[in-house]
Amino acid sequence: MSESNPSAPDHRTVLLRGGEVHSPADPFATAMVVERGHVAWVGSEGAADAFAQGVDEVRDLQGALVTPAFTDAHVHTTSTGLALTGLDLSGAQSLREALDRVREYAAQRPGDRVLLGHGWDAARWPERRAPYRTELDEATGGRPLYLTRIDVHSAVATTALLDLVPGVRDLPGFEADAPLTKDAHHAVRRAAHEAITPAQRTEAQRAALRRAASLGIGSVHECAGPEISSAEDLTGLLALAAEEIGPRVVGYWAEALESAADADRIRDLGALGAAGDLFVDGALGSHTACLHEPYADAAHTGTAFLDEAAVAAHVLACTEAGIQAGFHAIGDAAVSTVVAGLRAAADKVGLARVRAGRHRVEHAEMLTPDTVAAFAELGLTASVQPAFDALWGGEDGMYAERLGVERARTLNPFAALLRSGVPLAFGSDSPVTPLDPWGTVRAAAFHRTPEHRVSVRAAFTAHTRGGWRAVGRDDAGTLVPGAPADYAIWQAQELIVQAPDDRVARWSTDPRSGTPGLPDLSPGAELPVCLETVVGGRTVFVRPNE
């Protein structure tokens, strides 16, 4: 089973009316009928009268907006839940504040075998450095502690945790008083996660899925893998999502395959494909993304984990087995490696078969016109995170610090991808950036580099229908008859048609445009508030009365 379903669809028939229904079937729709977990009809208020007597429930929307539920196409569910329920350093404004939070958290959790935290970002601190191990040893009273950097590609740990990993000081990526990277980081992460009890893990997963539902997210793509989590983590999450009402969970397992027979392991885990965070390189913040030219602030080009031959072998194995392949690639050299590997696979089995696989690339931040064109040629889906630009873009941001301003301006070229016909699926990479779907749409529409901006409508589509298409479903993610009834109800301001470029009309409220409106997402404008989330016709979240 590749996708975990909540419960059986609700068999009641419900008429929603008196609102604004965002549907390509009718740009002026104010009503919708849901039957047996699917959209049965979308239309006008007057036509809704014909359905009012034959349904089990009539719901007055009182002017609220109804949209397809969002799909977050890249999530680490357990880590997200641990950040929600554990030590979150993403808001720490300085090294001193971070250490104070560690000290306070350690005092609050005397029974934890390993203390877990996430989100530190030394690039945003006045001290401009990560915590030293001696500082963490003092703050925790000598207890095991594992703290991931915001990009999750490096971490700091206490001496007590390192002592639980024999030989870690001899592994690549270990330096005496620097963040752990590469194999050393993977080994310490494995030890830290193995200390989490099944009850802690379930608590974290449940917290993450509840947060997603509260934000109008109806589906998440869990990007698991042997270097990120564990097989038990993935199967536990899929079982939880199947047993409890909540967002749908589609699982990916990032294990490199060498033959089609290896795909049985992927299917046995319940994963849709051998994709997600199958690392071709690391991350820019940790200086581990693989570049063609050296970093602006480091005399090297990062780290390569897979070469062209390994990429080609993986794509061939997945294509022969009929499952999705996918890779994590951020730096321009890593993206080039993916493209070269896909082309080598296409030379052996034919371009049509590779395109039919709908293989994915996660992040794809550093693209060139040639690699954008190659994505289109090879039928690749770009699973991207617009919040990365909001967090790290701009002339004073981390991207510019790592790459220089000129190279940084080329990152995350969403408009170029769309113009070339490359399918986009939006996600958060939570807990790297928070679950925040409307904020994600805003980040794409108001990209820090104007030429990379896309319309609000295009960004919204990438965060709804785009996520479904990325898992091979073209019949979902939009409110039209026959589609799954995965939708959210929002409290929103006036609906407009918004474009990202001053050279065209920025918005229109003229009904003659025939384009369904969406909330104004201009920077500073209030984002919509989720009132209710429905998955397969079943309500998975209702906003409490305030």
Side-chain angles (χ1 to χ4, degrees), residues 297-308:
D297 60 348
H300 62 82
T301 58
T303 304
F305 294 116
L306 295 178
D307 60 16
E308 176 185 332

Side-chain angles (χ1 to χ4, degrees), residues 234-245:
L234 175 60
T235 56
L237 173 63
L238 295 177
L240 177 70
E243 293 163 3
E244 298 186 4
I245 291 176

Side-chain angles (χ1 to χ4, degrees), residues 82 86-87 105 112 114-118 144-147 192-193 196:
L82 291 171
L87 175 57
Y105 185 74
D112 288 5
V114 173
L115 298 166
L116 300 168
H118 168 74
L145 167 73
Y146 173 72
L147 278 181
H193 285 177
I196 300 172

Side-chain angles (χ1 to χ4, degrees), residues 500-528:
D501 197 312
D502 289 326
R503 292 171 295 183
V504 297
R506 184 164 288 278
W507 61 73
S508 169
T509 55
D510 187 344
R512 293 173 298 178
S513 69
T515 302
L518 285 165
D520 179 7
L521 299 184
S522 300
E526 187 176 342
L527 293 177

Side-chain angles (χ1 to χ4, degrees), residues 214-289:
S214 75
L215 296 169
I217 297 171
S219 299
V220 299
H221 298 177
E222 165 65 17
C223 292
E227 294 183 352
I228 304 162
S229 51
S230 67
E232 293 76 19
D233 186 89
L234 175 60
T235 56
L237 173 63
L238 295 177
L240 177 70
E243 293 163 3
E244 298 186 4
I245 291 176
R248 303 175 192 263
V249 177
V250 177
Y252 286 100
W253 183 250
E255 181 177 345
L257 307 186
E258 296 181 357
S259 71
D262 294 340
D264 289 343
R265 296 200 302 273
I266 308 301
R267 294 190 179 96
D268 289 345
L269 289 170
L272 182 68
D277 277 333
L278 179 52
F279 297 121
V280 179
D281 67 345
L284 290 165
S286 300
H287 293 98
T288 52

Side-chain angles (χ1 to χ4, degrees), residues 64-84:
L65 170 67
V66 181
T67 72
F70 287 101
T71 292
D72 193 312
H74 193 118
V75 174
H76 303 287
T77 307
T78 302
S79 295
T80 296
L82 291 171
L84 290 170

Side-chain angles (χ1 to χ4, degrees), residues 45 55 93 109 153 159 172 197 238 291 293 330 341 363 385 392 461 492:
E45 193 63 28
V55 299
Q93 298 301 306
R109 310 281 292 211
H153 284 271
T159 303
T197 66
L238 295 177
L291 313 180
E293 301 294 333
I330 287 179
H363 315 310
Q385 295 74 41
W392 296 317
T461 299

